[in-house]
Amino acid sequence: RWIAHYLGPVLSPAYRQQVLSKLRLAGLDFSLAPEQFVAARLLCAAVCVLLLDWVAASFGRSVSWWLLVAALSGYAFPAIWLRDRIQLRRRQTLKTLPFMLDLICLCVEAGLNLTGAFTQAVAKGPAGPLRDEFARVLRDVRAGRSRMDALHTLADRMNEPSITNFVAALVQAEQMGMALGPILRAQAEQRRNERFARAEKLAMEAPVKLLFPLIAFIFPCTFVVLGFPIAMKFIHAGI
């Protein structure tokens, strides 16, 4: 926080908004400010440099060029961690979205309004980022924001096409006075088909991804195991 206090006036508004967008996608916008994240990157770089310098001094070696590599690695590590967190959050969201939509649809068809369906989904749904985001929508509604405004904020915050389509369908149904049950059921079925298509795509990509480790590691070891007895026989025969 001390470093972030002095970094705040230095950061440009465009860069601040860029970092804030990534923090929002990772679900950290409520706990970290952009200048705090940049301060954490600088602090991580300094720690890596000091650690490498201490290790090199312990062995009596000079690592002047490696200090720059350590600084860059330490500066990049928080960004890599943030990217992995965003990807994990996206995978968990897409995995639980069909079930949450089924649960909301069931509650709406049972007679609850949309806010009550969200409440039941938050109470009974699987733990994950999607449930946390729906809980945040409920908090916004209780704080006085309109339901549609809270849903639009949800779509902007998550920046996921599936969530955006879901929010657009709800807004259109609210404006036109349509029944929410069939729309929610269709949305759940579409999200489930998309999840199945993603699983099929990953299954088809698996053999291609296994090709490099197969050629680089498994095949050479196999050839060594098979060729070693033959090579020993040739060596003994020559002797």
Side-chain angles (χ1 to χ4, degrees):
R1 291 183 179 181
W2 181 78
I3 299 176
H5 175 73
Y6 293 98
L7 276 177
V10 179
L11 298 179
S12 64
Y15 184 72
R16 182 192 298 271
Q17 185 61 36
Q18 179 183 358
V19 176
L20 182 61
S21 300
K22 293 181 179 180
L23 292 174
R24 187 179 294 116
L25 291 176
L28 298 174
D29 55 317
F30 59 91
S31 59
L32 273 180
E35 55 268 18
Q36 290 177 338
F37 180 74
V38 177
R41 297 185 69 178
L42 295 175
L43 186 61
C44 187
V47 169
C48 289
V49 169
L50 293 176
L51 182 61
L52 180 62
D53 186 63
W54 175 74
V55 171
S58 300
F59 289 95
R61 294 182 177 273
S62 176
V63 287
S64 56
W65 285 102
W66 287 101
L67 293 178
L68 178 60
V69 176
L72 293 177
S73 301
Y75 185 77
F77 177 75
I80 297 173
W81 170 80
L82 184 64
R83 183 198 61 188
D84 292 342
R85 182 180 173 88
I86 292 173
Q87 293 176 353
L88 176 62
R89 182 180 171 86
R90 180 177 181 273
R91 289 195 301 267
Q92 291 176 345
T93 298
L94 296 178
K95 181 180 179 180
T96 58
L97 180 58
F99 179 77
M100 294 291 283
L101 292 181
D102 285 335
L103 189 57
I104 294 173
C105 177
L106 180 64
C107 294
V108 168
E109 291 180 344
L112 292 176
N113 60 7
L114 192 58
T115 303
F118 278 172
T119 304
Q120 292 299 319
V122 170
K124 307 296 183 182
L130 188 58
R131 190 178 72 173
D132 297 337
E133 290 296 334
F134 281 159
R136 192 168 177 179
V137 170
L138 292 176
R139 289 197 299 270
D140 290 342
V141 172
R142 294 191 188 101
R145 302 183 67 175
S146 66
R147 187 168 59 193
M148 292 299 105
D149 189 16
L151 288 174
H152 280 303
T153 305
L154 168 69
D156 295 338
R157 188 167 58 242
M158 299 197 72
N159 194 22
E160 177 61 41
S162 299
I163 302 296
T164 303
N165 294 335
F166 165 65
V167 171
L170 289 182
V171 171
Q172 185 178 7
E174 286 279 342
Q175 291 176 350
M176 299 182 65
M178 300 171 59
L180 292 177
I183 294 176
L184 291 171
R185 191 173 298 278
Q187 285 285 322
E189 186 64 26
Q190 184 177 359
R191 300 291 88 80
R192 191 175 291 105
N193 292 334
E194 290 176 356
R195 186 176 63 181
F196 184 76
R198 286 192 301 271
E200 282 187 333
K201 180 182 177 182
L202 291 175
M204 295 176 64
E205 290 176 352
V208 180
K209 294 180 179 179
L210 287 174
L211 189 60
F212 175 75
L214 188 68
I215 296 176
F217 303 106
I218 299 178
F219 279 173
C221 295
T222 304
F223 293 150
V224 169
V225 171
L226 295 177
F228 181 75
I230 300 174
M232 293 303 295
K233 287 183 179 180
F234 278 116
I235 292 175
H236 288 300
I239 294 177

